[in-house]
Amino acid sequence: MELDSVLLYTALGVGIISLCNLLKNANGLFYSIKFSSSKYRLPPGDMGWPFIGNMFLFLKSFKSSGNPGSFVSYFVTRFGPVGMYKAYMFGSPSIIVTKPEICKKIFMDDDNFDRTGKSNSATSTTASNQEDKRLRRITTTHIRTHGSLSFYFDRINEIVKDSLENFAAKEEPIYLFSELKKPAFEVLMLILIGGYQVSQQLLDVVFEETPLLIRGFHGMPINIPGFAYNRAKKAQGVIAYMFKQILDERKVMIAENKVKPMSNMLDMMLDAQHIDGGKGLSDETIVGLLLQYTFAGYESVAKVASKTIMHLEKHPDILHKAKEEQEEIVKKRPSSNAGLNFDEIRQMKYLSKVLDETLRVNSLIPIFRVAKTTVNLNGYTIPQGWKFLTFLWSFNMDPNTYVNPMEFNPSRWDVSDIHFNLFMNLLFFADIHVIRDGCIIKARN
C-alpha cells in the first residue's frame, strides 16, 4: 500500500511538473508553429506563459534594487550574445534588443518601425510618419532653444528654489522622489499650458491621476476592474477631460485678447490650428499631445533628480567636486545679491557629467517600437506587428563598452569618445529629451 502511495504521488508530481513545463513553453510553441514557414526566421528566446508571457520576470527584475538588469541578463546568459531575443511582453509577441547598432537601425527606420510601439500605451496615436514628424516639429521647436528656456527660466528658478526651501524647513524625513514630482509637474505645466488663470483644481486632478496612468500602462494590459491597467484607462479619460476644459477656456481667453499668443505649447498648438489652410491641429490631437507630454515629462525628471541626489550622497568626493564648481560660479558673479542666471547653468560642466552618468546607470525602462511590415534585421525575419523593446541598460552596463560599468564615475565623460557618442546618439534617436549644457536638445523632429 505504501508503495502504491509513493508511485501515485510520484506520478502526480511528474504530471504537475510536465504540465507546468508545457504551459511555460506554450507561447513559444504556438508562435514557432505559426511562423514556421521559410518566410520567417525568429531569433532565439523564451516567450513564457500564455498571456502572461515574461512579465513576471520583467516586473520582478525591475522592482528589485539588487539587480535591475537581471531580466536582460537571463536572455543573454541562456541564449548567447546574439543581440535579439523573442519574448512575450505587455500582451504581445516581442523582440528584446540589446545591441546598440541594432537599436540605432530601429530608431532611424521610420518606414518599417512605428515609434508608438507599445500597443497599450497612453501615448499611442494613429498618425502617419509624416504627420507624426510634423506634430513633433510643431510642438518641440520652442522648448529646445536657448531663448525659449530663458523665457521660462525666472519662473522655473522660483519654483525650484521655493520647493527646496520647503524641503529644508521640514523637521521630519521626506520621500524625495514623491516631493520632487510636485515642482517637476509645476514646471511642466508652465511650459505646456502657462499660468493664465488655469484652475488649480483641474491641475490637481491631472497631478493625482497621472501616476495611476503611468503605473497602469507600464504593467500588464488587463482591462478588468481592480487591475492597474483598467484604472489607468480611467485616469487617461479623466486627464483628457481636464485638458479639454483647459483648452476650451484658453480659446475663449485668446478670442478676448486676454493672453499673449505663442507663450507656451498650448497657445502655439492653438495657433497651429490655422496653418496649412485650416489643416492644422485638431482639438483631439492637441489634447492627445498634452496627455503624451504629461505622461513622459515630469515623473522621469523627478526620478533623474532624485537618483542624482542619491548618487551624490553615496559619493562625497563627487559631491565635493560638484559643490566646488557651484562655488566657483558664484564667485564670478558681479554682485553677491545676484541670483542664478541661465548662462551660469551652461557653465556647470561637471554637473552635466554627473547627470550623464546618472542617465547611463539608470536607463532601465525599455523604449518601444513596432514592426509596421515584416522586417529583416540582424539576420532574422520578424513578422509584422511584433513589438521591439530596446534596452539601453544592457550596453550601458557592458564592460566592453565602459570600464567598471557598475561604478558611478562622472569623470568617464571627460573624454568625448565613441562610447560617449554612442550613449548620446542612442538617446537622440530614441527621441528622448536630454539636458546638455543647460539646453534641452533633441536630435531630430
Side-chain angles (χ1 to χ4, degrees):
M1 187 67 178
E2 291 182 359
L3 180 61
D4 291 341
S5 298
V6 171
L7 291 174
L8 176 62
Y9 287 121
T10 301
L12 183 61
V14 171
I16 292 174
I17 293 173
S18 299
L19 179 61
C20 287
N21 285 332
L22 178 63
L23 289 174
K24 185 178 180 181
N25 294 288
N27 263 356
L29 290 171
F30 173 79
Y31 285 102
S32 294
I33 294 172
K34 183 176 181 180
F35 299 103
S36 59
S37 69
S38 59
K39 180 181 178 181
Y40 303 101
R41 181 172 181 262
L42 300 179
D46 176 6
M47 303 190 76
W49 301 80
F51 184 73
I52 297 172
N54 311 92
M55 291 302 296
F56 281 153
L57 179 61
F58 175 81
L59 295 174
K60 179 182 178 181
S61 171
F62 281 81
K63 288 184 178 180
S64 170
S65 59
N67 184 14
S70 61
F71 176 74
V72 174
S73 298
Y74 165 78
F75 288 90
V76 176
T77 302
R78 183 175 176 185
F79 303 104
V82 297
M84 293 175 61
Y85 310 91
K86 64 183 177 185
Y88 194 87
M89 303 289 295
F90 300 97
S92 300
S94 305
I95 300 296
I96 294 172
V97 182
T98 62
K99 289 189 175 181
E101 60 271 19
I102 305 176
C103 292
K104 185 175 179 179
K105 289 179 182 178
I106 295 172
F107 295 150
M108 293 182 67
D109 190 352
D110 284 338
D111 292 330
N112 291 309
F113 299 97
D114 191 336
R115 68 181 66 249
T116 57
K118 194 175 179 185
S119 60
N120 59 320
S121 172
T123 64
S124 61
T125 175
T126 57
S128 65
N129 281 332
Q130 292 301 318
E131 177 67 7
D132 184 58
K133 290 179 181 180
R134 188 177 75 91
L135 295 179
R136 289 170 180 270
R137 183 172 60 252
I138 290 173
T139 58
T140 60
T141 298
H142 85 299
I143 65 169
R144 71 171 189 263
T145 62
H146 179 111
S148 294
L149 287 176
S150 298
F151 176 82
Y152 295 114
F153 180 79
D154 289 341
R155 179 62 187 132
I156 293 174
N157 189 25
E158 182 182 338
I159 291 171
V160 174
K161 183 179 178 181
D162 290 346
S163 298
L164 294 178
E165 289 177 349
N166 289 334
F167 297 163
K170 295 182 178 180
E171 296 182 357
E172 69 279 2
I174 64 172
Y175 184 39
L176 187 61
F177 175 52
S178 294
E179 294 296 332
L180 286 175
K181 286 195 292 184
K182 298 174 183 176
F185 177 79
E186 191 172 349
V187 169
L188 178 64
M189 290 300 107
L190 173 69
I191 296 172
L192 288 184
I193 62 179
Y196 299 113
Q197 302 176 11
V198 177
S199 169
Q200 187 60 46
Q201 185 177 2
L202 295 181
L203 295 181
D204 288 342
V205 172
V206 174
F207 180 75
E208 292 168 1
E209 293 289 325
T210 301
L212 300 173
L213 179 74
I214 295 172
R215 302 297 177 270
F217 283 111
H218 281 157
M220 295 181 64
I222 305 176
N223 196 12
I224 300 175
F227 285 86
Y229 180 76
N230 179 264
R231 182 62 185 87
K233 295 288 286 185
K234 294 179 181 177
Q236 181 181 12
V238 171
I239 297 171
Y241 179 74
M242 296 297 108
F243 280 139
K244 184 59 168 64
Q245 283 190 279
I246 293 171
L247 173 63
D248 291 340
E249 292 175 0
R250 184 61 53 83
K251 282 185 172 182
V252 173
M253 297 178 72
I254 291 176
E256 296 175 352
N257 296 318
K258 293 183 179 180
V259 297
K260 181 181 179 181
M262 304 289 287
S263 56
N264 52 70
M265 287 186 67
L266 176 56
D267 292 346
M268 184 184 63
M269 288 189 287
L270 284 172
D271 184 74
Q273 287 190 324
H274 308 294
I275 66 175
D276 297 335
K279 297 180 180 179
L281 305 179
S282 66
D283 285 2
E284 182 180 5
T285 299
I286 292 175
V287 169
L289 288 170
L290 291 174
L291 182 64
Q292 176 178 344
Y293 282 110
T294 302
F295 180 88
Y298 85 93
E299 270 214 358
S300 56
V301 172
K303 186 165 292 185
V304 170
S306 59
K307 289 287 186 180
T308 301
I309 293 172
M310 178 193 73
H311 289 301
L312 289 173
E313 181 188 15
K314 287 184 176 180
H315 301 86
D317 56 324
I318 296 175
L319 174 60
H320 178 71
K321 190 171 181 179
K323 187 177 180 181
E324 279 188 330
E325 179 181 65
Q326 304 302 307
E327 291 172 343
E328 187 64 28
I329 291 172
V330 171
K331 288 179 183 179
K332 295 178 181 178
R333 287 178 178 171
S335 170
S336 58
N337 295 324
L340 180 69
N341 60 63
F342 191 80
D343 288 333
E344 288 179 341
I345 292 180
R346 297 174 64 86
Q347 300 172 31
M348 300 177 185
K349 303 299 183 181
Y350 186 72
L351 183 60
S352 180
K353 295 172 186 176
V354 172
L355 291 172
D356 286 339
E357 186 70 348
T358 301
L359 289 171
R360 183 187 70 83
V361 301
N362 292 283
S363 299
L364 305 179
I365 302 301
I367 301 167
F368 294 84
R369 292 294 189 268
V370 62
K372 297 170 62 178
T373 61
T374 297
V375 295
N376 295 306
L377 188 65
N378 200 39
Y380 299 105
T381 305
I382 311 302
Q384 178 183 0
W386 280 44
K387 306 299 183 293
F388 284 76
L389 286 72
T390 57
F391 285 87
L392 302 181
W393 167 270
S394 59
F395 45 87
N396 282 345
M397 293 299 152
D398 185 353
N400 295 318
T401 305
Y402 297 103
V403 178
N404 298 324
M406 298 302 293
E407 177 187 2
F408 186 83
N409 178 22
S411 295
R412 74 173 72 247
W413 305 107
D414 288 345
V415 179
S416 179
D417 57 14
I418 188 171
H419 301 315
F420 169 84
N421 293 328
L422 171 66
F423 168 76
M424 295 302 291
N425 285 339
L426 282 169
L427 291 177
F428 292 158
F429 284 125
D431 293 322
I432 295 176
H433 293 85
V434 179
I435 298 176
R436 186 111 191 111
D437 296 333
C439 290
I440 296 179
I441 54 179
K442 198 166 181 288
R444 56 181 189 151
N445 297 322

